[in-house]
Amino acid sequence: MWICPKCSTSVEPSFEICWSCGTTVDGVEDPTFVTADNASPIKDPSDNLRKSKESSVEPELPEPPLELVECYRARDSAEAKFLMDRLAEIGIMALANGTHMGNTEYMLPLFSPRIEVRAEDYARARGLVDEFELRKKARLAGVENL
């Protein structure tokens, strides 16, 4: 700490001038010094940038909602999860509606989870689902033949 030679204020050693009056440790006064109480607010430069962007750019419209289409009705939540994982592996995001009402106790198609994909991914998703159904039928046929 050092004591200001002009106003006798204790000043931290990291300061070169007195925060109260603007005098150096050697007693030299800064004629441009203004106390924080008397200074005008410092303007945020990002305010000007924000204002210029707002005035020159057209407002962005929200994205249209995704059009989701049903591509498969799963037997249960586990089958829905399995197919959603397979779809994700080939880059198709899917969601399953109705998994909270899984039909592990009741085999009602009314409550079967519906797997939905974006409309533009439907053809690719259906290809994977068709292959899954063929393998499922072959597996069931193999079990019946035992």
Side-chain angles (χ1 to χ4, degrees), residues 44-55:
D44 186 357
S46 63
D47 286 342
N48 293 337
L49 181 62
R50 191 176 308 118
K51 287 178 186 174
S52 67
K53 280 185 178 180
E54 289 172 0
S55 62

Side-chain angles (χ1 to χ4, degrees), residues 24-97:
T24 66
V25 72
D26 299 328
V28 178
E29 294 181 40
D30 181 0
T32 61
F33 179 80
V34 179
T35 62
D37 294 335
N38 296 330
S40 59
I42 299 172
K43 297 193 188 228
D44 186 357
S46 63
D47 286 342
N48 293 337
L49 181 62
R50 191 176 308 118
K51 287 178 186 174
S52 67
K53 280 185 178 180
E54 289 172 0
S55 62
S56 65
V57 177
E58 294 181 21
E60 291 185 30
L61 298 174
E63 295 262 341
L66 290 177
E67 181 185 355
L68 297 176
V69 292
E70 181 179 320
C71 77
Y72 186 71
R73 279 202 180 249
R75 188 184 73 218
D76 55 28
S77 297
E79 186 178 73
K81 173 72 171 126
F82 174 80
L83 282 171
M84 287 175 50
D85 288 346
R86 298 297 77 75
L87 289 167
E89 286 175 0
I90 62 171
I92 298 174
M93 292 292 106
L95 69 95
N97 284 325

Side-chain angles (χ1 to χ4, degrees), residues 74-78 98-113:
R75 188 184 73 218
D76 55 28
S77 297
T99 55
H100 62 287
M101 300 178 76
N103 56 359
T104 54
E105 294 179 38
Y106 309 103
M107 296 304 268
L108 297 174
L110 176 66
F111 300 123
S112 297

